[in-house]
Amino acid sequence: MTAEKSCDPSVNEMLQIAKKKGISTVWDRYRAQLPQCGFGESGLCCRNCVMGPCRIDPFGDGPDKGICGATADTIVARNLNRYIAAGAASHSGHAKHLAHVLKKVSAGKAADYSVRDEAKLVAVARRLGFETGGLTVSEVAGRVADAALAEFSEREEPLAWVESTLTGGRLAKFKELGVMPSGIDAAISEILQRTTMGVDADPVNNLLGGIKGSLADYAGCHLGTDLSDILFGTPMPVFSEANMGVLKEKFVNIALHGHNPVVSEMILAAAKEDAVLDQAKEAGAEGINLVGICCTGNELLMRHGVQALTHSVSQEMPILTGALDAIIVDYQCVYPSLTTVAQCYGTKVVTTMGIAKIPGAVHVEIDEENALVKAREIIALAIERFKARKDAPTFIPDVKSSVVAGFSTEAIVGALAKLNAQNPLKPLIDSIIDGNIQGVVLFAGCNNVKVPQDSNYLAMVKELAKRDVLMLATGCGAGALARHGFLTPEATEEYAGPGLKAVLTAIGMANGLGKPLPPVLHIGSCVDNSRAVDIAVALANTLGVDIKELPVAASAPEYMHEKAIAIGTWAISLGIPTHLGVVPPVVGSSLVTSVLTQGAEDILGGYFIVETDPVKAAEALFAVIQKRRGGLNLATRAW
């Protein structure tokens, strides 16, 4: 009954409970929507003025233009651009929030926060061209914060977080195409202006505007990664666990959900305080158990080893255990349905951001000046909920997997340095040249209710691992692989081909692990896709080539969010072929579809590969890697 919904046995157990209790879940609401609107799925519905909505007939039997005369090509390109703008606004809003926190820290106005990684702060400052000698940490932090905030306002200079992090070849291409953004907010605003009725009707010109907007998204992602590392520490490898078995019946269970560690870091700090722990024990609990959902969970996992509870499409499921006392959310990817499900169990849903409130939730606003005070207040709500449920029955699935996470760029380089301290990248490059590693694939994105949860990730990773492809993962994709045991040395032993296994074993042994590294390296949350770019850029610069020549690719097998579309667009703009496992809403335009899947390769080097069958998708990515290897005069491999 539930196999078609999720590959996660704990999710399937919870779905059985939901069915018995008559509780609606995301899968029920999806089924109620079927059949979904074919115009919307094809990208052919235009609501950009109130003469509409207009719908173009994809079969040629009805209207072929909107009321204003916009064609299917124009409408599809405009709609795609608006996805990109929304994604860029989300990632860059996350980054802007962090920039304001860093600015307050530098001015002594946010006592609960601090610069935890001074080395990363100095490295970012120097990358931006700042002299740091003789300056205090606060002074350097202030300069970096000012530079970050300056990225949002339009100016004459290109975005520093684009210009200072990419290869010369990429920057030259962006300038040639006229798509180098000079302000994050300006690029987003430009998309909204050009896609309004009566402005840009040229579909190709619209797509160029989308590329500019996606590069603004890239800058926002990189900013988010850099500033999080500066404020909360650069991740290093940690050992933890994932899946719903991490809940503890006799503890106050608190899930932290969303995307920005500004809130979750304070909850974590407060939960360790003796006075707060005493409150929990006075309520009859053995302690406080913090767990993560989605990318806030990833942030906590990779920095502190906080266990991962679940991800994306299954976020409602942990409430059905009866053991979850509170879900504390910041923003992005949070289902409004959480409060409806929580009402059946008494679980507290607590919102913390003024821009992200949910009807039925308790709202406790957290700002930088009172963060710890508010964190204690929120934990007290969870403790009260525990008191009310401590003698009630719970059902916690006995399902969890070991996880090795925390592979920041710095951690990966550090691990390689144990093999070659003078030239850390050389062991990786040598392994690619000799074919022990055929190439690298990044898995990113979400889960989508249209796909059995996690199925595409699992099938593709198995196929690519046996072909000696090294894999990186971020976001809920990383979470999916964590819950199914793919982020462990044991997964390398079981799934990796002989070349990949040999390389990962050598690195693991050199670093004292006594076992191989996992076949998939968890590099962080959604914004941390920028870490994968840093690795690719370092490889390209070392080899003296552009990113578009490297044997690298990306995949979003089950994506669903506008942010994923923005990320995918900048990935192909950087020259990275990118697989999509869900058909994007562009097929109503043969022109737009052709540009994205074929023409983009000639212009940018990257392009989209749309394939819903995960095994065929893995084969397609392996073929891309072989083509790139051939272009570098490296030995290729048939499969």
Side-chain angles (χ1 to χ4, degrees), residues 29 94 253-265 267-268 289-301 306-319 324 326-339 342 347-353 356 358 361 366 378 446-447 453 475-476 525-526 560-561 563:
R29 295 189 296 276
H94 173 161
N253 291 299
I254 300 173
L256 295 149
H257 181 14
H259 279 75
N260 195 328
V262 167
V263 172
S264 56
E265 287 279 343
I267 300 294
L268 180 63
N289 182 36
L290 298 184
V291 293
I293 299 177
C294 289
C295 278
T296 287
N298 279 319
E299 299 274 1
L300 290 170
L301 169 64
V306 171
Q307 296 167 312
L309 180 58
T310 197
H311 299 84
S312 194
V313 76
S314 53
Q315 61 187 265
E316 300 162 320
M317 299 297 103
I319 300 173
L324 191 59
I327 302 179
I328 303 166
V329 306
D330 45 78
Y331 44 55
Q332 298 175 28
C333 298
V334 177
Y335 287 180
S337 63
L338 290 178
T339 54
T347 303
K348 298 291 185 183
V349 179
V350 184
T351 55
T352 59
M353 298 288 170
I358 303 173
I366 288 188
I378 291 170
C446 335
N447 293 126
Q453 186 188 19
C476 288
S525 64
C526 290
M560 63 86 188
H561 204 284
K563 293 181 294 179

Side-chain angles (χ1 to χ4, degrees), residues 200-361:
D200 195 350
D202 184 323
V204 174
N205 199 47
N206 259 295
L207 293 176
L208 289 172
I211 291 171
K212 181 190 286 188
S214 77
L215 293 175
D217 180 80
Y218 166 74
C221 287
H222 212 301
L223 266 167
T225 296
D226 285 343
L227 300 184
S228 289
D229 286 354
I230 289 167
L231 286 165
F232 307 120
T234 300
M236 290 293 153
V238 295
F239 297 86
S240 188
E241 294 177 313
N243 219 320
M244 280 188 260
V246 303
L247 292 173
K248 300 176 181 178
E249 181 180 4
K250 298 187 179 192
F251 282 67
V252 179
N253 291 299
I254 300 173
L256 295 149
H257 181 14
H259 279 75
N260 195 328
V262 167
V263 172
S264 56
E265 287 279 343
M266 291 299 103
I267 300 294
L268 180 63
K272 293 178 179 179
E273 294 177 343
D274 289 341
V276 174
L277 287 169
D278 287 343
Q279 289 175 20
K281 290 174 182 177
E282 288 168 7
E286 293 183 7
I288 297 173
N289 182 36
L290 298 184
V291 293
I293 299 177
C294 289
C295 278
T296 287
N298 279 319
E299 299 274 1
L300 290 170
L301 169 64
M302 64 185 179
R303 290 193 174 88
H304 305 287
V306 171
Q307 296 167 312
L309 180 58
T310 197
H311 299 84
S312 194
V313 76
S314 53
Q315 61 187 265
E316 300 162 320
M317 299 297 103
I319 300 173
L320 302 173
T321 65
L324 191 59
D325 297 299
I327 302 179
I328 303 166
V329 306
D330 45 78
Y331 44 55
Q332 298 175 28
C333 298
V334 177
Y335 287 180
S337 63
L338 290 178
T339 54
T340 304
V341 180
Q343 286 173 359
C344 301
Y345 288 87
T347 303
K348 298 291 185 183
V349 179
V350 184
T351 55
T352 59
M353 298 288 170
I355 64 166
K357 296 183 179 181
I358 303 173

Side-chain angles (χ1 to χ4, degrees), residues 425-454:
L425 290 178
K426 189 174 187 300
L428 178 58
I429 291 171
D430 287 347
S431 296
I432 293 172
I433 290 173
D434 65 27
N436 280 329
I437 293 177
Q438 289 289 298
V440 183
V441 170
L442 167 67
F443 282 96
C446 335
N447 293 126
N448 190 313
V449 72
K450 297 179 177 180
V451 179
Q453 186 188 19
D454 305 335

Side-chain angles (χ1 to χ4, degrees), residues 74-416:
T74 298
I75 290 171
V76 169
R78 284 174 174 171
N79 288 341
L80 179 65
N81 270 9
R82 291 204 164 201
Y83 276 119
I84 293 169
S90 297
H91 284 139
S92 64
H94 173 161
K96 188 187 289 184
H97 188 173
L98 290 165
H100 281 297
V101 174
L102 184 61
K103 182 65 177 176
K104 289 180 180 179
V105 167
S106 72
K109 295 180 179 178
D112 296 331
Y113 298 88
S114 63
V115 171
R116 294 190 191 166
D117 192 334
E118 295 180 16
K120 183 69 176 262
L121 172 66
V122 170
V124 171
R126 289 177 177 169
R127 192 183 72 216
L128 296 171
F130 298 156
E131 292 294 331
T132 60
L135 298 180
T136 66
V137 171
S138 293
E139 288 170 334
V140 177
R143 291 194 179 188
V144 170
D146 287 339
L149 291 169
E151 294 286 85
F152 293 89
S153 300
E154 189 167 22
R155 62 213 178 156
E156 292 186 6
E157 299 84 12
L159 291 177
W161 260 266
V162 173
E163 196 165 47
S164 68
T165 62
L166 296 178
T167 60
R170 286 299 86 192
L171 298 177
K173 174 58 68 174
F174 298 151
K175 290 173 183 176
E176 173 194 332
L177 294 173
V179 297
M180 179 70 85
S182 56
I184 293 174
D185 289 347
I188 296 166
S189 177
E190 180 183 295
I191 285 178
L192 294 179
Q193 180 190 12
R194 77 192 300 156
T195 56
T196 57
M197 198 286 282
V199 186
D200 195 350
D202 184 323
V204 174
N205 199 47
N206 259 295
L207 293 176
L208 289 172
I211 291 171
K212 181 190 286 188
S214 77
L215 293 175
D217 180 80
Y218 166 74
C221 287
H222 212 301
L223 266 167
T225 296
D226 285 343
L227 300 184
S228 289
D229 286 354
I230 289 167
L231 286 165
F232 307 120
T234 300
M236 290 293 153
V238 295
F239 297 86
S240 188
E241 294 177 313
N243 219 320
M244 280 188 260
V246 303
L247 292 173
K248 300 176 181 178
E249 181 180 4
K250 298 187 179 192
F251 282 67
V252 179
N253 291 299
I254 300 173
L256 295 149
H257 181 14
H259 279 75
N260 195 328
V262 167
V263 172
S264 56
E265 287 279 343
M266 291 299 103
I267 300 294
L268 180 63
K272 293 178 179 179
E273 294 177 343
D274 289 341
V276 174
L277 287 169
D278 287 343
Q279 289 175 20
K281 290 174 182 177
E282 288 168 7
E286 293 183 7
I288 297 173
N289 182 36
L290 298 184
V291 293
I293 299 177
C294 289
C295 278
T296 287
N298 279 319
E299 299 274 1
L300 290 170
L301 169 64
M302 64 185 179
R303 290 193 174 88
H304 305 287
V306 171
Q307 296 167 312
L309 180 58
T310 197
H311 299 84
S312 194
V313 76
S314 53
Q315 61 187 265
E316 300 162 320
M317 299 297 103
I319 300 173
L320 302 173
T321 65
L324 191 59
D325 297 299
I327 302 179
I328 303 166
V329 306
D330 45 78
Y331 44 55
Q332 298 175 28
C333 298
V334 177
Y335 287 180
S337 63
L338 290 178
T339 54
T340 304
V341 180
Q343 286 173 359
C344 301
Y345 288 87
T347 303
K348 298 291 185 183
V349 179
V350 184
T351 55
T352 59
M353 298 288 170
I355 64 166
K357 296 183 179 181
I358 303 173
V362 178
H363 186 73
V364 181
E365 189 92 9
I366 288 188
D367 56 53
E368 292 74 46
E369 289 82 4
N370 66 2
L372 265 176
V373 171
K374 293 297 183 181
R376 296 180 192 118
E377 181 181 326
I378 291 170
I379 293 175
L381 293 172
I383 292 172
E384 285 301 310
R385 147 67 181 161
F386 174 84
K387 288 166 66 175
R389 69 93 179 162
K390 65 179 179 180
D391 295 322
T394 62
F395 182 82
I396 300 173
D398 186 20
V399 180
K400 59 183 177 181
S401 297
S402 297
V403 173
V404 184
F407 290 96
S408 62
T409 308
E410 292 83 351
I412 292 172
V413 172
L416 291 169

Side-chain angles (χ1 to χ4, degrees), residues 433 627-636:
I433 290 173
K627 180 179 179 181
R628 294 282 181 93
R629 289 182 65 85
L632 293 171
N633 294 318
L634 302 179
T636 58

